[in-house]
C-alpha cells in the first residue's frame, strides 16, 4: 500500500490523486515512467490523464454499441436470404459462407470483430456487388455536408438569437423570439420539411424540391434539420446569459463604461456559453437521428437512408457499418467537448 | 405536510401567469376530450373505407378523406388516442425510472454518484432512437407471441403500441434522472434530513418519507415536458414506418401518409395540414404548460 502511494506521488505533483480507480491507466503510467523517465512530465498533467481515461471509456462505449447492434440484428427473425425465391439448401449455404453469415452468432461476431480490426466493414447483402466500405465512402460525404451545415446553423443561429433575446429582456422582441422558439421546438421536422417544400419549392420555385448536387439543394434541408435546435440553443443561451449578467464582474465591466454589446460579447459570453458547449454532444446525436428523416423527405442520397432500409432488408453488415461510423463520429466529438470544457472555464477541474 | 396549501398557491400562481397558460390548459383539455369521446360521436359511415378517395374538406368530411376514402377527422381523432396514450404512458415509465435512478445516485453520492451520472452522460451522446429502431425490429415478433400467449388475440393488435410505450419510456428518463439527482444533492445536506438520520431512520424511509415529497414539484414539471418528447419520438418512429402501423393510426403515421401524398401535380394539403395542426398545437400547449409550471414549481428556475 505504502509502496503504491509513493509511486503515485512520483507523477502526481498537483491536485488530488487522479488514477486510483483506473487500473489500466495506472499500469500504463507506471510502466512508462519506469522505462522512459522523460514522460514523467506528461503524467503530471491531469489533463492528459483525463484525456486517456475518456479515450478508454470511449472505446468501451463503441464496443458496447457495436455488440448490441450486432446481436439485436442477428436475433431478429428472418435472415437476409429469406426473401428470395426458394433456395436449395446447398445454394443458401454457399450464400451464407460468401456473406459471412455461417456459424453460430458468436462465431459470426468474433469473425466480424476480427475483420473490423483490419478496417473491413464486410459485404452488403442487399447491394451485392459492393462492400459496406464502398457504400459508406459514397454516401457519407453527403450526410456529413448536411450535418455540418445544420450544426453550424444551430450553434451560430441559436447563440445569436439567445444573446439578442437576453439583451432585449422584457421588450416585445424578446417575447416574440421566445414564442417562435417554443413553436420551432414543438413542430417536428417532418412537418416543417414538407411545409417548406410546399412554400419555397412548389409555390414560389425559389429552391429545389430535393435531391443533391448544387449548393442550393443544401439550404432547405439544413435549415429544416437545424430549426428545433436553433430554438433550443437560443433558450439555453438566453437563460444562462441572464444569469451571468447578474454577476459582479459584469457590473464591473459596465462600470468601466463598456458598451452593452461589448459587455455581452467579451465578458458574459465566455461563461454563458458553457451550457451550450456541453449541449454540443447531445446536439450531434440529435442531428444525426433527425438527418434520417430529412434525407428521406428531401430525397438526399446520404447514409441516413441505410438505417431504415437495412433494417427492413436484414442487411446486417451495412447497418452495423453505419452505426459504427456514426457512433465513432459522435464519441470523438464528445471527447473534444469534454476536453474543451475545462479549457474554457478554469474553475472546472478536468478530473472528477 | 403543507402539500395541500402549497399546491393551491401553485395553482393560483399558474393562473396568474396570464392568458397563454390558460389557453394551453384549455387546448389540452379539448384535445383530451376529443380523443376520448370524438371517435364515438362520429357517424358509423366515417369509420368505413369508401370510394371517395382524396376528397377535399367538405361538410360531409370536414378534414377531407385519405387514399382509402376514410374520413380524415376520424383518423386524426383516433390517432390522437394512440399518440396521447403512448406519450402519457411512456412519460410515466420514464418518470419511474428517472426518479428512482436520480434518487439513488444523488443520495448515494461519491463514486456511485459519479459513475451513475457518467452513464447518463454516455447515454445522452449515443443515438438512442436509432438503437431503439433496431431493438423494436428485434423484439416485435417476440412481443406478439408473448401477448398472444397472454390471452385474447385482440391484444396482439396492440403489440406495437405496447412495445413503443415500453421502449420510449426506457430512453426518455435521462433528463428526469439528472434533475432529480440535482435536487436530492441539494436536499440531503439540509437540516431535516440530518435530523431524520440522527434519529436513526433507515435510508429507505429517508428517501421515501423525506426526500420524495420534496421532489413532487420538480417531477411534475419534467413529467409535463417528457410527454411531448415521447409523442415526438413516437411520431418519428411512425414516420419512418417502424412505429404504429396501418390500420391503426397515430399522428406520426398520418403525417407520414400525408408527406408521401405530397406531389407537385396535385397537392392533397389536408392530409398533411390537419394532423400537423393537431400535433403541433398539442405539443406547443404541453411545452408551454411545462415552462409555466417550471417557473412556478422549480426553485432553481
Amino acid at each position: 500500500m505504502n509502496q503504491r502511494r509513493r509511486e503515485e506521488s512520483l507523477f502526481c505533483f498537483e491536485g488530488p490523486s487522479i488514477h486510483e480507480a483506473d487500473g489500466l491507466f495506472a499500469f500504463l503510467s507506471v510502466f512508462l515512467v519506469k522505462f522512459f523517465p522523460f514522460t514523467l512530465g506528461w503524467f503530471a498533467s491531469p489533463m492528459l490523464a483525463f484525456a486517456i481515461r475518456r479515450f478508454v471509456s470511449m472505446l468501451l462505449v463503441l464496443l458496447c454499441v457495436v455488440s448490441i447492434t450486432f446481436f439485436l440484428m442477428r436475433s431478429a427473425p428472418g435472415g437476409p436470404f429469406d426473401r428470395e425465391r426458394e433456395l436449395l439448401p446447398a445454394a443458401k449455404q454457399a450464400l451464407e459462407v460468401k456473406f459471412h453469415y455461417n456459424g453460430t452468432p458468436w462465431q459470426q461476431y468474433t469473425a466480424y470483430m476480427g475483420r473490423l480490426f483490419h478496417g473491413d466493414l464486410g459485404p452488403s447483402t442487399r447491394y451485392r456487388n459492393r462492400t459496406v466500405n464502398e457504400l459508406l465512402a459514397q454516401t457519407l460525404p453527403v450526410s456529413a455536408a448536411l450535418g455540418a451545415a445544420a450544426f453550424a446553423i444551430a450553434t451560430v443561429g441559436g447563440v445569436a438569437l439567445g444573446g439578442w433575446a437576453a439583451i432585449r429582456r422584457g421588450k416585445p422582441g424578446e417575447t416574440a423570439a421566445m414564442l417562435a422558439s417554443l413553436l420551432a421546438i414543438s413542430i417536428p421536422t417532418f412537418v416543417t420539411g414538407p411545409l417548406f417544400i410546399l412554400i419555397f419549392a412548389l409555390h414560389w420555385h425559389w429552391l429545389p424540391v430535393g435531391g443533391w448536387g448544387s449548393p442550393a439543394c443544401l439550404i432547405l434541408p439544413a435549415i429544416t434539420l437545424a430549426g428545433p435546435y436553433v430554438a433550443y440553443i437560443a433558450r439555453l443561451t438566453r437563460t444562462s446569459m441572464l444569469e451571468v449578467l447578474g454577476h459582479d464582474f459584469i457590473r464591473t465591466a459596465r462600470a468601466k463604461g463598456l458598451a452593452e454589446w461589448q459587455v455581452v460579447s467579451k465578458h458574459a459570453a465566455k461563461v454563458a456559453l458553457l451550457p451550450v458547449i456541453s449541449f454540443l454532444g447531445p446536439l450531434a446525436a440529435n442531428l444525426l437521428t433527425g438527418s434520417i428523416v430529412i434525407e428521406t423527405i428531401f430525397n438526399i442520397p446520404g447514409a441516413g437512408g441505410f438505417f431504415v432500409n437495412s433494417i427492413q432488408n436484414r442487411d446486417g453488415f451495412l447497418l452495423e457499418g453505419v452505426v459504427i461510423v456514426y457512433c465513432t463520429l459522435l464519441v470523438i466529438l464528445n471527447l473534444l467537448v469534454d476536453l474543451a470544457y475545462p479549457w474554457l472555464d478554469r474553475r472546472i477541474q478536468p478530473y472528477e | 405536510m403543507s402539500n395541500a396549501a402549497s399546491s393551491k398557491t401553485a395553482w393560483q400562481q399558474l393562473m396568474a401567469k396570464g392568458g397563454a397558460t390558460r389557453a394551453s390548459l384549455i387546448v389540452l383539455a379539448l384535445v383530451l376530450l376529443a380523443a376520448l369521446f370524438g371517435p364515438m360521436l362520429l357517424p358509423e359511415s366515417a369509420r368505413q373505407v369508401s370510394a371517395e378517395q382524396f376528397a377535399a374538406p367538405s361538410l360531409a368530411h370536414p378534414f377531407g378523406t385519405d387514399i382509402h376514402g376514410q374520413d380524415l377527422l376520424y383518423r386524426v381523432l383516433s390517432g390522437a388516442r394512440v399518440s396521447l396514450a403512448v406519450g402519457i404512458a411512456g412519460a410515466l415509465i420514464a418518470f419511474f425510472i428517472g426518479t428512482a435512478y436520480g434518487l439513488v445516485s444523488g443520495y448515494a453520492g461519491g463514486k456511485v454518484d459519479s459513475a451513475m451520472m457518467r452513464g447518463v452522460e454516455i447515454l445522452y451522446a449515443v443515438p438512442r432512437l436509432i438503437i431503439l429502431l433496431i431493438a423494436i425490429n428485434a423484439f416485435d415478433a417476440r412481443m406478439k407471441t408473448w401477448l398472444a400467449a397472454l390471452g385474447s388475440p385482440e391484444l396482439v393488435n396492440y403489440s406495437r403500441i405496447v412495445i413503443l410505450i415500453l421502449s420510449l419510456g426506457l430512453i426518455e428518463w435521462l433528463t428526469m434522472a439528472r434533475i432529480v439527482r440535482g435536487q436530492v444533492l441539494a436536499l440531503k445536506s439540509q437540516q431535516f434530513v440530518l435530523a431524520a438520520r440522527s434519529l436513526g431512520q433507515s435510508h429507505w424511509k429517508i428517501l421515501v418519507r423525506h426526500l420524495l415529497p420534496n421532489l413532487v414539484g420538480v417531477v411534475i414539471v419534467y413529467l409535463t415536458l417528457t410527454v411531448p418528447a415521447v409523442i415526438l419520438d413516437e411520431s418519428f418512429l411512425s414516420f419512418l414506418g417502424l412505429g404504429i402501423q396501418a390500420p391503426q393510426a397515430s399522428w406520426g403515421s398520418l403525417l407520414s401518409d400525408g408527406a408521401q401524398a405530397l406531389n407537385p401535380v396535385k397537392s392533397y394539403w389536408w392530409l398533411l395540414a390537419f394532423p400537423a395542426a393537431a400535433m403541433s398545437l398539442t405539443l406547443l400547449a404541453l411545452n408551454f404548460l411545462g415552462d409555466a409550471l417550471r417557473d412556478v414549481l422549480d426553485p432553481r428556475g
Side-chain angles (χ1 to χ4, degrees), chain B residues 207-247:
Chain B
L207 279 176
V208 176
R209 292 251 179 93
H210 298 275
L211 292 178
L212 212 51
N214 280 296
L215 293 170
V216 171
V218 177
V219 161
I220 287 176
V221 172
Y222 287 91
L223 194 60
T224 321
L225 291 170
T226 309
V227 175
V230 175
I231 293 180
L232 214 53
D233 285 349
E234 180 275 324
S235 68
F236 172 84
L237 294 175
S238 295
F239 185 81
L240 290 177
L242 291 158
I244 304 293
Q245 284 171 330

Side-chain angles (χ1 to χ4, degrees), chain A residues 54 57 61 69 72 75 77 179 182-183 186-188 190-191 194 198 202 235 288-289 293 307 311 314 330 334, chain B residues 118 122 125 127 129-130 134 137-138 142 232 235-236 239 255 262 264 272 276 279-280 283-284 287-288 291 294:
Chain A
R54 281 293 151 99
S57 93
V61 170
T69 314
L72 279 178
S75 76
L179 198 69
L182 205 54
L183 203 68
S186 300
I187 303 179
F190 47 83
V191 173
L198 213 59
L202 296 181
R235 287 161 60 90
L288 190 157
T289 316
V293 164
F307 278 114
I311 287 177
R314 301 277 183 275
L330 276 182
N334 272 293
Chain B
R118 180 81 190 122
I122 289 173
L129 219 48
I130 286 172
I134 305 165
N137 174 58
R142 234 164 279 174
L232 214 53
S235 68
F236 172 84
F239 185 81
L255 285 170
L262 202 70
L272 201 60
M279 183 168 168
S280 308
L283 293 187
L284 188 63
N287 279 330
F288 214 95
D291 270 11
R294 177 161 46 192

